[in-house]
Amino acid sequence: MTLKILPSRRTGTVGLDEVVVPRRHPWRWLLAGLLLLLVVMIVEGLATNPAMRWDVVGDYLFAEPVLEGLLMTLRITVLAMLIGIVLGGILAVMRLSGNPVLLAVSLGYSALFRSIPVLVQLLFWFFLSAVLPKIGLGVPFGPVFVEAETNSLISRFGAALLGLGLAEAAYMAEIIRAGLLSVPRGQSEAAAALGMPPGKALRRIVLPQAMRFIVPPTGNQAISMLKMTSLVIAISLPDLLTSVQTIYARNFLQIPLLTVACFWYLVMTGVLSVGQYFLERRFGKGAST
Amino acid sequence: MTEPVVRAEAVTKSFGHVRALRGVDLDVFPGEVVCLIGPSGSGKSTFLRCVNHLEKVDSGRLTVDGELVGYRRARGKLYELRESEICRRRADIGMVFQNFNLFPHLTVLQNLIEAPIQVRREPKAEAVERARSLLERVGLSDKERSHPAQLSGGQQQRVAIARALAMRPALMLFDEPTSALDPELVGEVLEVMRGLAADGMTMIVVTHEMGFARESADRVVFMADGVVVESGPPDELLRAPKHERTRAFLSKVLA
Ligand SMILES: Nc1ncnc2c1ncn2[C@@H]1O[C@H](COP(=O)(O)OP(=O)(O)O)[C@@H](O)[C@H]1O
Ligand SMILES: [Mg+2]
């Protein structure tokens, strides 16, 4: 039997003195060329098509209502994610606490909020004010301590935060729980053996190690959230999409104005993706093996 | 006669149907080095974990420093300890694990000062100073800035020992501290443990290193099936075991 030595791609020789000719891929090149041509044609068509009204795109790109809408979109994204992360963290710890009541509440919450479409939840919170004019906090059948008008409590903005944030918490709970479970048991045990209380061990030992499993999917969630905020158009909250819609409802220049919205969504997801890259690098350190 | 540091009387512990401890009796006196040997699954780890409140005892009496593990005596009754009280007691007991369990996201120095600062509320400068002297003692002064993943197994285990000592424990528990190590790294860890024993630390060591047991232990305890089968000074127990089970076990380990 003879032993065959496979050519190494890097050197292009078999180690003996014969010259090896690498395989050629003519079809690959042809296909790539065709696709490139197609892309150029589309871009060229869009760029030169007068119906695209690039002049209008330019006019509205930095228009005040658009920028205000942009700011609103960012504000909802950040606050809804914050609600999602904090509440999700609490739900995750409830799941892992070993207390059956907390476990059941956490599971019930996730099941409920993941089953109902976010758009429906948004509308629900928004219209809740119509059915329940007042919300109070107090002893059942007893005195009420805090009372608030739902109309002012659940404004459009509040409804957006509740709708998006509460749903997000259900997903974040799952992400944080998986992250905490990815840290070996020995870590919390070693912390316990040193006399660290469970809460402190969670914060200082387990959570920092769980971060590298939590951060990447959380970045994805933030990017999804950014795009999901456009659903608030259903409750007429003046975010980026609602703002351009208001404008094109007057001037009927839908495509250029939607292009403006696309541009800003693209910029924001781009920035978030870069941020995610740096966060991942930051939390990946010192935690090999 | 001095009071024992650890006193176990008929201690039992079950996991579901598995009876890990079926009535363990054992006293450990101040400054004593006790080596726990026995076949795998005989309950050695479970016993150590009970001493450190990592497992709850089902029945029997287990006291550490005269205090009942898991309970506080007041007004003639026993009150189950609150989490914070358990933590306080654990802080006085050092534990070294088979898999080191160093904190990978912290440097060696940070591993050593974490608990003294967070649990004992020591000032940082003091904790750092003490951590450095402990690292010197285990021969790793040059590694204080390293992360655990950059160290060999033997170095990691020595850091783990230093980390436990940083809490100034009155009792040290070792659960097979050299079992996860490559053979050539066992010696450096045993060396550190010998030094500790010579300094008069009270130690319970679960180990398969019969050389260490013979040399450093005051007493060797053989456990099987959740009970202490026999115990005695190393040269007696290792050379002339009284029980057939001990003899069978030793013939396998020493072969
Ligand atoms: N957390 C646990 N859950 C279920 N069974 C356990 C647990 N810990 C230990 N055991 C069982 O208890 C017995 C004693 O285990 P252990 O104390 O680890 O023995 P050793 O350390 O002597 O090898 C074994 O049968 C083991 O499977
Ligand atoms: Mg064991």
Side-chain angles (χ1 to χ4, degrees):
Chain A
M1 229 173 92
T2 53
L3 185 70
K4 273 194 192 146
I5 304 167
L6 294 174
S8 138
R9 270 172 182 272
R10 212 149 31 86
T11 58
T13 69
V14 275
L16 306 174
D17 29 8
E18 283 132 312
V19 174
V20 174
V21 181
R23 206 168 100 198
R24 299 188 193 282
H25 302 279
W27 289 108
R28 239 185 245 180
W29 285 107
L30 189 68
L31 201 62
L34 281 176
L35 277 175
L36 193 67
L37 190 68
L38 198 65
V39 170
V40 168
M41 278 162 64
I42 292 172
V43 169
E44 200 269 341
L46 283 178
T48 57
N49 192 328
M52 282 304 294
R53 298 295 303 273
W54 289 103
D55 53 323
V56 179
V57 173
D59 287 346
Y60 280 102
L61 206 50
F62 297 99
E64 196 166 329
V66 171
L67 292 183
E68 268 168 17
L70 183 67
L71 209 64
M72 177 60 85
T73 290
L74 281 173
R75 204 178 295 143
I76 305 170
T77 305
V78 169
L79 292 177
M81 273 315 286
L82 223 58
I83 293 173
I85 290 169
V86 171
L87 190 56
I90 294 169
L91 288 167
V93 172
M94 282 165 75
R95 281 283 284 282
L96 301 174
S97 68
N99 178 329
V101 176
L102 297 183
L103 172 72
V105 170
S106 176
L107 283 176
Y109 181 98
S110 290
L112 183 67
F113 282 86
R114 292 211 298 198
S115 308
I116 302 166
V118 175
L119 182 56
V120 177
Q121 294 186 42
L122 271 176
L123 291 169
F124 185 89
W125 291 115
F126 179 57
F127 288 115
L128 192 65
S129 51
V131 214
L132 279 181
K134 276 182 181 178
I135 285 183
L137 199 65
V139 185
F141 312 112
V144 176
F145 301 130
V146 194
E147 201 173 63
E149 302 275 333
T150 42
N151 254 324
S152 56
L153 188 71
I154 307 181
S155 58
R156 288 174 207 283
F157 187 63
L161 291 190
L162 280 180
L164 295 169
L166 296 188
E168 184 59 32
Y171 293 95
M172 282 309 302
E174 206 45 52
I175 289 172
I176 295 172
R177 188 184 78 100
L180 294 177
L181 284 178
S182 71
V183 179
R185 254 190 84 72
Q187 290 292 308
S188 42
E189 226 154 56
L194 287 164
M196 288 177 90
K200 195 165 263 186
L202 180 70
R203 252 180 301 122
R204 299 195 52 93
I205 305 300
V206 177
L207 198 56
Q209 295 181 59
M211 278 317 242
R212 68 198 182 105
F213 295 93
I214 294 176
V215 168
T218 302
N220 289 336
Q221 290 298 110
I223 290 170
S224 305
M225 175 63 81
L226 180 72
K227 293 178 288 182
M228 210 153 45
T229 54
S230 59
L231 290 177
V232 301
I233 196 168
I235 57 172
S236 306
L237 185 71
D239 74 328
L240 178 58
L241 182 61
T242 311
S243 302
V244 300
Q245 188 208 30
T246 310
I247 299 170
Y248 71 62
R250 271 188 274 109
N251 63 14
F252 299 104
L253 296 165
Q254 289 94 341
I255 292 298
L257 278 155
L258 285 172
T259 306
V260 167
C262 287
F263 171 81
W264 284 119
Y265 282 119
L266 210 66
V267 168
M268 289 188 290
T269 43
V271 169
L272 278 183
S273 302
V274 171
Q276 187 188 7
Y277 169 78
F278 281 106
L279 275 179
E280 269 178 49
R281 267 208 338 194
R282 157 93 175 67
F283 284 106
K285 81 162 190 226
S288 53
T289 70
Chain B
M1 178 135 178
T2 50
E3 282 291 304
V5 180
V6 176
R7 163 161 280 178
E9 294 167 274
V11 169
T12 72
K13 170 75 193 176
S14 297
F15 298 100
H17 299 302
V18 181
R19 294 169 67 197
L21 302 178
R22 310 176 177 223
V24 171
D25 295 288
L26 181 67
D27 285 351
V28 179
F29 291 91
E32 218 185 357
V33 175
V34 171
C35 278
L36 264 187
I37 61 172
S40 165
S42 55
K44 307 178 299 291
S45 299
T46 304
F47 180 72
L48 286 194
R49 295 166 59 82
C50 285
V51 170
N52 207 7
H53 295 79
L54 289 172
E55 303 287 357
K56 217 163 132 183
V57 170
D58 291 340
S59 72
R61 285 173 56 89
L62 179 59
T63 61
V64 176
D65 263 331
E67 290 187 288
L68 206 55
V69 164
Y71 300 91
R72 174 169 38 89
R73 190 181 296 282
R75 296 186 294 278
K77 288 186 188 146
L78 289 178
Y79 292 88
E80 211 173 303
L81 291 182
R82 281 180 281 121
E83 193 66 44
S84 59
E85 296 170 299
I86 291 178
C87 288
R88 207 167 310 134
R89 292 204 189 167
R90 277 187 189 137
D92 295 330
I93 302 171
M95 187 149 185
V96 175
F97 301 86
Q98 182 175 345
N99 296 317
F100 331 133
N101 293 346
L102 291 178
F103 305 134
H105 60 302
L106 302 179
T107 64
V108 165
L109 188 75
Q110 287 168 336
N111 264 276
L112 262 66
I113 64 176
E114 175 71 13
I117 292 175
Q118 294 297 325
V119 177
R120 292 247 196 262
R121 306 250 162 251
E122 273 180 36
K124 183 163 182 203
E126 200 175 293
V128 168
E129 192 182 334
R130 183 166 161 71
R132 292 209 167 112
S133 81
L134 284 168
L135 283 177
E136 196 179 321
R137 179 167 175 182
V138 300
L140 291 170
S141 290
D142 53 330
K143 299 290 183 197
E144 67 169 64
R145 286 166 196 281
S146 304
H147 278 270
Q150 299 164 306
L151 304 180
S152 74
Q155 292 171 328
Q156 288 192 50
Q157 193 61 298
R158 285 188 278 155
V159 172
I161 294 172
R163 178 178 69 175
L165 292 174
M167 292 296 279
R168 302 170 200 271
L171 167 69
M172 285 285 283
L173 310 173
F174 294 82
D175 193 354
E176 304 199 23
T178 57
S179 296
L181 298 177
D182 292 335
E184 77 271 21
L185 302 176
V186 169
E188 61 190 62
V189 172
L190 292 181
E191 183 63 39
V192 169
M193 290 168 60
R194 262 184 229 113
L196 264 183
D199 284 354
M201 174 64 79
T202 312
M203 296 160 63
I204 306 179
V205 184
V206 174
T207 188
H208 296 300
E209 293 293 330
M210 294 303 148
F212 175 80
R214 191 175 295 124
E215 216 181 294
S216 300
D218 297 303
R219 199 145 46 94
V220 177
V221 174
F222 175 69
M223 272 182 80
D225 294 329
V227 294
V228 171
V229 174
E230 69 175 298
S231 79
D235 26 272
E236 266 176 42
L237 189 131
L238 297 179
R239 216 163 287 157
K242 294 192 191 74
H243 289 256
E244 183 49 41
R245 293 227 40 186
T246 320
R247 218 168 295 147
F249 174 76
L250 287 176
S251 70
K252 271 184 228 150
V253 183
L254 296 174

